[in-house]
Amino acid sequence: MKRLLFSIAISLALTTGVMAQGLKVVDFKLLETDLTANTHGTSKQDQNGETAALIKIVTPERGFTFDGGSLGIVDTEEHAGEIWLYVPRRAQKLIIRHQTFGVLRDFFYPIPIEGARTYEMLIDIGTGRYATITTQVAKANVYIDGENCGEAPLYNKYLNYGKHTIRAVKDRYEGQEEIVLTTTDEAKTRFVNVNMRDMSDHFGNVNVTVDNQADIWFEDRNVGTGSWQTQLREGTYVVETRKTDCDPEKTSFTVVAQRENNIKAAPPSPHTGLLHLYTRPRDVNATSNGSTPIDLSEAHTLPVGTYQLSLSRKGYVPKSVEYTVSHNETTRDTITLDRVKYIKPNAFYFGAGYTMRPMGGITALAGMVYKNFDVQLSYTFGLTDSDEVPWYSTDGNDTYLSTMTYKRSTFAAKVGYQFELTDRLGITPQLGYEIETLSASVSDGTNTYGDKASANCISLGAKLLYAPMQRLYLFANPALSLGMSKDSNFEHIVDNSDITAGGFMMTIGAIFNF
């Protein structure tokens, strides 16, 4: 009970002291080597066009207003840890106001204010004291009451009245000091030097690894990617792993002194989204990004990113699609595979077959189909000889000349319209124009007669198609050819033989389309 009453009394005394202190300037000096006031970008002109002086005000609070009297204030800027106050040269005094900490009236500058020069002012708000903290080891991290305040040396660090623990750490060196600040301290600035000593016996080697080349963060610093090696004092620590499009993960670990401490950190959790695709037909084979099978009959939770999908099914045209999966979003779509068109409405083709007719032969053909309209050219090479045809003179004496046999070759141009009967069956009614040419061979005698005899015909027929596989047709092409005109040689051959122009024929063969 006595200790509690003593603590309350001390607190009341300190509070009374704080209220009594009020605002005051504890230090004001010229910064000889600071050229901020006279540097392009940070210098300012007063109303007379002269370069103003700059006062860098150090204070733990914000919300101050300043009054420069008759000469006024040129400008005020807020900066990290400082207030920059621009005043005209020959300024004499300053009034400082704060809504909470009161007013400091008629502060007269202790040294002349010159234009284009930089000064420093420390304002005490009455709740504590400025301190300068140094360490034996350069750039040691300084912790004040557990808060990381930066690297030593720390200048003009404002500390409230009371007890403070100052700790310094650098590599394997550590030190700690405790200070008590009271209102009775006569010094304007407290100087604290933290003695540090080698603590190697309390450190262990630390090797942290993480999958997926994630970034490793320790004490709010990025210390490595994929792995990190360091030395830490014995105790418990936390590392955090981070990566783009992932939620960070924390891993706690304990360091044992003078040992190798190997830590496998938890990798960051990838951001995910839902990919939900409906396919027609439903049962398809699908792979993701080249080779990974994926079942599209159900929705998938996937890491965010872009996915290339390849879909296939027998009897359907394969399809490739691409989708981007976004964080916490559902990507939906319907994919329809087209049935394979065995009977194609648009194609180029070529093929060959055998034409069965009197004096038949091998037929080569080529053509194209556009929107089911079919244009075809063909040529039949005659292979079968006709019966012998005798030739006599036409001078009225009927003198025997020679006996000939003939082969028939036919050039044909046909047009038609293709109908798809089933997936694999088609029919193309055709109207054609043909030129039949006879080639003669002497069977008896010495002279050749009727060679190159020709006739013109019109044909009517139909091309029947069966597609056992893509790009291949088996066809049968029955046609009736009607002779329209003959030259004199063809007329003579017709009159003296059973050869006729035209007639019924059937061509069967195969066609390749593309």
Side-chain angles (χ1 to χ4, degrees):
M1 185 66 179
K2 291 182 179 180
R3 181 175 297 177
L4 176 61
L5 293 175
F6 178 76
S7 299
I8 294 174
I10 292 295
S11 299
L12 290 173
L14 289 177
T15 303
T16 303
V18 169
M19 297 301 294
Q21 293 292 318
L23 292 177
K24 63 181 177 180
V25 176
V26 296
D27 192 20
F28 189 93
K29 62 185 176 182
L30 172 66
L31 301 177
E32 295 282 356
T33 59
D34 193 326
L35 302 178
T36 307
N38 198 31
T39 300
H40 178 71
T42 55
S43 64
K44 293 187 180 294
Q45 306 294 314
D46 63 18
Q47 62 183 1
N48 297 319
E50 297 180 341
T51 302
L54 169 60
I55 303 174
K56 292 184 176 180
I57 300 176
V58 180
T59 174
E61 293 292 333
R62 291 293 182 266
F64 288 92
T65 60
F66 303 93
D67 185 348
S70 60
L71 293 180
I73 301 296
V74 175
D75 197 7
T76 305
E77 293 181 355
E78 295 279 351
H79 288 266
E82 295 178 334
I83 302 171
W84 287 11
L85 182 69
Y86 292 88
V87 299
R89 70 182 182 91
R90 295 195 301 273
Q92 299 294 318
K93 66 177 183 177
L94 188 66
I95 299 175
I96 305 173
R97 294 185 176 88
H98 194 279
Q99 186 174 1
T100 301
F101 300 104
V103 180
L104 175 60
R105 298 184 180 277
D106 297 336
F107 169 73
F108 287 90
Y109 298 113
I111 55 178
I113 302 299
E114 302 176 20
R117 303 298 296 274
T118 304
Y119 301 83
E120 182 181 71
M121 173 190 290
L122 304 186
I123 296 180
D124 184 358
I125 60 175
T127 64
R129 188 173 303 283
Y130 285 97
T132 295
I133 301 169
T134 59
T135 61
Q136 290 176 316
V137 179
K139 295 185 177 182
N141 288 318
V142 177
Y143 297 83
I144 300 178
D145 300 329
E147 179 186 357
N148 190 340
C149 296
E151 294 182 346
L154 293 181
Y155 297 104
N156 302 325
K157 178 65 179 177
Y158 195 83
L159 301 177
N160 290 329
Y161 292 123
K163 183 178 180 180
H164 298 279
T165 299
I166 302 173
R167 181 168 172 262
V169 178
K170 177 67 180 294
D171 298 330
R172 289 188 260 185
Y173 289 83
E174 294 182 9
Q176 181 171 305
E177 298 287 342
E178 292 187 353
I179 62 172
V180 177
L181 300 180
T182 67
T183 59
T184 59
D185 290 342
E186 296 182 358
K188 296 179 179 179
T189 301
R190 172 69 72 92
F191 291 90
V192 180
N193 181 62
V194 180
N195 292 316
M196 303 175 69
R197 64 188 184 90
D198 189 348
M199 303 290 289
S200 298
D201 292 345
H202 296 271
F203 279 74
N205 293 325
V206 176
N207 304 301
V208 180
T209 58
V210 62
D211 293 336
N212 299 330
Q213 288 296 297
D215 292 331
I216 301 172
W217 287 70
F218 181 72
E219 295 184 344
D220 292 327
R221 292 185 300 114
N222 186 347
V223 295
T225 300
S227 63
W228 174 49
Q229 291 79 40
T230 189
Q231 291 181 328
L232 294 175
R233 188 172 179 177
E234 57 192 354
T236 300
Y237 300 88
V238 174
V239 293
E240 184 175 83
T241 54
R242 304 179 187 177
K243 195 170 185 178
T244 304
D245 290 330
C246 296
D247 291 323
E249 290 287 343
K250 292 183 178 180
T251 301
S252 176
F253 63 95
T254 299
V255 175
V256 178
Q258 298 186 25
R259 289 188 183 179
E260 291 288 332
N261 298 270
N262 298 313
I263 296 95
K264 185 72 172 181
S269 302
H271 289 167
T272 60
L274 193 66
L275 181 64
H276 193 182
L277 302 178
Y278 182 85
T279 64
R280 296 191 180 100
R282 289 296 293 157
D283 186 14
V284 300
N285 298 316
T287 58
S288 172
N289 293 339
S291 60
T292 305
I294 182 171
D295 182 4
L296 295 185
S297 63
E298 58 184 27
H300 291 270
T301 299
L302 300 173
V304 298
T306 300
Y307 294 83
Q308 288 82 33
L309 304 181
S310 298
L311 288 72
S312 63
R313 181 176 172 174
K314 186 177 181 180
Y316 290 82
V317 179
K319 179 176 287 189
S320 295
V321 292
E322 181 177 285
Y323 294 98
T324 298
V325 176
S326 301
H327 182 38
N328 288 339
E329 294 183 6
T330 299
T331 301
R332 300 179 184 272
D333 197 11
T334 297
I335 307 171
T336 300
L337 297 185
D338 297 325
R339 283 188 173 275
V340 172
K341 280 288 185 183
Y342 292 98
I343 307 299
K344 296 182 179 180
N346 300 286
F348 292 95
Y349 62 86
F350 63 91
Y354 182 76
T355 299
M356 295 177 289
R357 64 179 299 188
M359 302 166 61
I362 298 295
T363 298
L365 58 88
M368 66 172 291
V369 179
Y370 178 69
K371 294 184 177 179
N372 290 312
F373 286 96
D374 185 308
V375 178
Q376 175 183 301
L377 299 177
S378 66
Y379 189 82
T380 301
F381 301 87
L383 297 178
T384 306
D385 289 328
S386 67
D387 293 338
E388 293 181 344
V389 179
W391 278 78
Y392 299 89
S393 65
T394 59
D395 56 4
N397 297 322
D398 291 333
T399 303
Y400 174 75
L401 300 176
S402 293
T403 299
M404 312 296 297
T405 59
Y406 296 93
K407 293 180 180 178
R408 176 169 24 207
S409 296
T410 305
F411 171 79
K414 298 180 180 181
V415 295
Y417 189 84
Q418 176 180 276
F419 294 93
E420 182 182 12
L421 302 179
T422 67
D423 286 347
R424 297 176 183 266
L425 292 177
I427 185 170
T428 305
Q430 292 178 314
L431 175 65
Y433 171 75
E434 299 177 349
I435 300 174
E436 295 184 353
T437 304
L438 301 180
S439 56
S441 298
V442 178
S443 181
D444 181 51
T446 58
N447 295 325
T448 300
Y449 296 96
D451 190 38
K452 307 300 181 184
S454 65
N456 299 319
C457 305
I458 291 178
S459 67
L460 294 173
K463 183 168 56 178
L464 303 174
L465 301 174
Y466 169 66
M469 58 187 294
Q470 278 189 283
R471 305 193 183 282
L472 175 64
Y473 295 149
L474 300 180
F475 75 93
N477 190 182
L480 178 62
S481 180
L482 303 174
M484 300 301 294
S485 64
K486 312 176 194 66
D487 64 12
S488 59
N489 286 334
F490 209 107
E491 288 280 6
H492 183 87
I493 295 170
V494 169
D495 292 339
N496 292 279
S497 69
D498 58 358
I499 297 174
T500 60
F504 180 79
M505 65 195 76
M506 171 72 78
T507 304
I508 59 174
I511 292 174
F512 296 94
N513 59 76
F514 55 94

